[in-house]
Amino acid sequence: MDESLGTPDQWGTKTMTAHIIDGKAFAARVREKVAGHVALLKSEAGLTPGLAVVLVGEDPASQVYVRAKGKLTVDVGMASFEHRLDAATSEADLLSLIQSLNADPKVHGILVQLPLPDHLNSDLVINTIDPAKDVDGFHISNVGLLGTGQKSMVPCTPLGCLMMLRDHHGSLSGMDAVIVGRSNIVGKPMAQLLLGESCTVTIAHSRTRNLEEVVRRADIVVAAVGRPEMVPGGWIKPGATVIDVGINRIPAPEKGEGKTRLVGDVEFASAVEVAGAITPVPGGVGPMTIACLLANTVTACCRANGLPEPDGLTV
């Protein structure tokens, strides 16, 4: 059994009607494309794309993410530069490091792992990154470029969602898309990307009136509100495509005392019986985020050197 698709107790039924969008397998294909383009850059242009990741403090989840990013960066043939700083690092020292990375020609992408310790201004830190190296797509310049339909660095998670939607549907033109969640990291940029695909887009959230009715009219539902199983299958339009961005850890007493399991923002067991296609949690959107980080780094390298961008890895 492919663990990326969850387990039968998560599915809730052995006869699923929805197509399962396997993000783990899709991400592997994206990394393969990235590796191929990296090899081409090395052989034909003498360039090795480089990704610098900055971690401040010892947040356990952040440490796991940074290790995974570093390993996969090396696996696709890119250069990995990790900077691990003490939690008490001053803002001035962090900004100085970022400025040195901005000036380093070996570094094409810069990512500062969030969240930062409370004494550091996240907005100031992010906006100190050179927008051309902002592979997270969080810099205010990239936000503005994306919002006005211009070439930008696109946030990794929404980019991964769009790749999967394009792969499943081909053209998204004219489809009714509802995004549940209004964050700067997922909800808002996802809306801009879907507008760029000529969808009719609604951003809903936890305070939307008649949220059930709003979701039920959608051909595409992107759930990114951060509430476990907030969207039940009864809200899903039959045949709709559901992209579940949520990653929530909840108690799992059936596994034993103190045990937990991961669930999305959508109630998978009921939604899988109604939707036309759905991403599982885990194994759906999550793997695509790091894959798109690698893709963005290659794109940044190509743009910095006036070279053609890799097909299928950017908007």
Side-chain angles (χ1 to χ4, degrees), residues 131 139-153 192:
H139 191 287
I140 190 66
S141 294
N142 283 318
V143 173
L145 290 168
L146 179 62
T148 52
Q150 300 179 67
K151 184 178 288 188
S152 68
M153 297 306 301
Q192 298 295 346

Side-chain angles (χ1 to χ4, degrees), residues 102-114:
N102 286 341
D104 188 342
K106 298 188 298 297
V107 173
H108 303 96
I110 302 170
L111 179 149
V112 177
Q113 184 68 44
L114 301 177

Side-chain angles (χ1 to χ4, degrees), residues 37 40-41 44-45 151 298-311 314:
H37 207 81
L40 193 67
L41 287 170
E44 297 195 359
K151 184 178 288 188
V298 172
T299 297
C301 179
C302 292
R303 290 178 181 175
N305 291 279
L307 298 172
E309 297 175 20
D311 290 335
T314 187

Side-chain angles (χ1 to χ4, degrees), residues 84-151:
R84 296 173 179 263
L85 307 179
D86 187 87
T89 297
S90 71
E91 193 165 84
D93 285 346
L94 176 56
L95 296 181
S96 177
L97 171 60
I98 292 171
Q99 287 161 354
S100 70
L101 296 173
N102 286 341
D104 188 342
K106 298 188 298 297
V107 173
H108 303 96
I110 302 170
L111 179 149
V112 177
Q113 184 68 44
L114 301 177
L116 290 171
D118 291 342
H119 69 283
L120 299 174
N121 183 330
S122 296
D123 290 337
L124 175 61
V125 170
I126 289 167
N127 290 324
T128 300
I129 299 171
D130 180 347
K133 297 187 178 187
D134 167 39
V135 285
D136 254 341
F138 294 164
H139 191 287
I140 190 66
S141 294
N142 283 318
V143 173
L145 290 168
L146 179 62
T148 52
Q150 300 179 67
K151 184 178 288 188

